[in-house]
Amino acid sequence: MTLKEQKIKILSLIEELNPESELLTNDPDISSKINAVINQVQNELSRIKKIPAKYKYDTTKNKTLLLTDIPDNYQLNKLSTIKYKIEGDYEIIFDDDVEEEVIIYYYKYPKSIDVIIDGETEEIQKENSQKIDEEYEFEIANDLLETLPYGVAADLLKNDMISNYGRYYYERYNEMKQMIDSRTSSGIIVVEGGLDL
């Protein structure tokens, strides 16, 4: 799903969609902060149902890997070797006899959405917004994509004291988060050569 498709969902939900506008809405406050809010909510959801990733590291060049060098690293899962130790929260140190490419399986944060800068002219904002909206593809799972609009709507409308829609969307968002299945797979067992009972 693209960012544009997700924005159409969100703006329709909060009744702020204008399909004729290049920013998809006539509300400058919403258009200036929607990307930042989507980033925040998708990061929160990606910690509930994690995004698996892998990173290849050549231990013949260096025996120490900083965790910050792993792209968008949120949390380590496992490594393809057992010959290592983790120093503090910052680095993996491989044993001297590890002479191979190690595969690091980890969970990552979703790639960040660019934020429109307030100081840009309206013309540049529209141009940048259209490009970002059409090029950005979400990495989070489909059930998270269905939950995300309610979290974004809650945040965008949290200061709307008159209608109280922000509270409604916040409650709905929390209900939907409770229904998220955090498993990334159900697991598979393979038995080779049969069983001798």
Side-chain angles (χ1 to χ4, degrees):
M1 175 179 278
T2 66
L3 178 58
K4 183 175 184 175
E5 293 167 326
Q6 189 63 260
K7 279 186 178 179
I8 289 170
K9 269 186 167 185
I10 295 163
L11 295 169
S12 296
L13 186 66
I14 63 174
E15 299 176 357
E16 290 288 347
L17 178 66
N18 177 1
E20 304 301 316
S21 169
E22 291 164 321
L23 296 174
L24 300 174
T25 182
N26 293 332
D27 189 321
D29 187 43
I30 288 175
S31 69
S32 69
K33 64 183 178 181
I34 192 167
N35 287 3
V37 175
I38 292 172
N39 269 332
Q40 170 209 329
V41 174
Q42 77 165 337
N43 275 342
E44 177 184 355
L45 292 172
S46 73
R47 292 190 302 270
I48 297 171
K49 187 170 196 168
K50 299 172 184 174
I51 303 169
K54 65 182 178 180
Y55 179 70
K56 293 178 182 177
Y57 185 71
D58 186 357
T59 59
T60 59
K61 294 180 181 173
N62 194 345
K63 296 294 182 189
T64 302
L65 171 66
L66 297 177
L67 294 177
T68 54
D69 290 339
I70 301 172
D72 302 316
N73 179 40
Y74 163 59
Q75 185 179 64
L76 287 180
N77 183 6
K78 62 184 176 181
L79 281 72
S80 63
T81 181
I82 58 169
K83 297 178 178 184
Y84 70 93
K85 66 180 178 180
I86 296 180
E87 283 285 322
D89 295 332
Y90 304 107
E91 58 188 7
I92 302 171
I93 301 171
F94 296 97
D95 293 357
D96 287 336
D97 62 340
V98 176
E99 293 288 333
E100 59 192 71
E101 183 179 75
V102 174
I103 300 174
I104 299 158
Y105 298 91
Y106 68 104
Y107 299 109
K108 62 178 275 188
Y109 285 110
K111 64 183 181 268
S112 188
I113 301 168
D114 291 335
V115 177
I116 302 300
I117 300 167
D118 283 337
E120 293 175 339
T121 65
E122 188 175 335
E123 187 176 314
I124 292 173
Q125 280 187 355
K126 287 177 184 177
E127 185 181 311
N128 288 345
S129 182
Q130 282 181 314
K131 184 178 178 191
I132 294 165
D133 288 354
E134 290 168 8
E135 291 180 359
Y136 185 90
E137 290 274 344
F138 283 93
E139 298 175 288
I140 58 177
N142 286 340
D143 53 346
L144 302 184
L145 289 172
E146 295 303 317
T147 305
L148 184 130
Y150 292 93
V152 174
D155 197 280
L156 291 174
L157 300 178
K158 67 184 172 197
N159 294 328
D160 186 359
M161 302 298 180
I162 297 168
S163 67
N164 213 19
Y165 284 139
R167 182 166 181 77
Y168 164 76
Y169 292 128
Y170 177 75
E171 289 170 1
R172 180 70 178 129
Y173 175 61
N174 282 326
E175 287 172 13
M176 293 179 79
K177 282 196 309 185
Q178 297 301 315
M179 294 186 287
I180 293 171
D181 183 354
S182 62
R183 296 176 294 177
T184 53
S185 72
S186 58
I188 297 172
I189 297 174
V190 176
V191 178
E192 293 182 8
L195 290 172
D196 187 12
L197 300 175

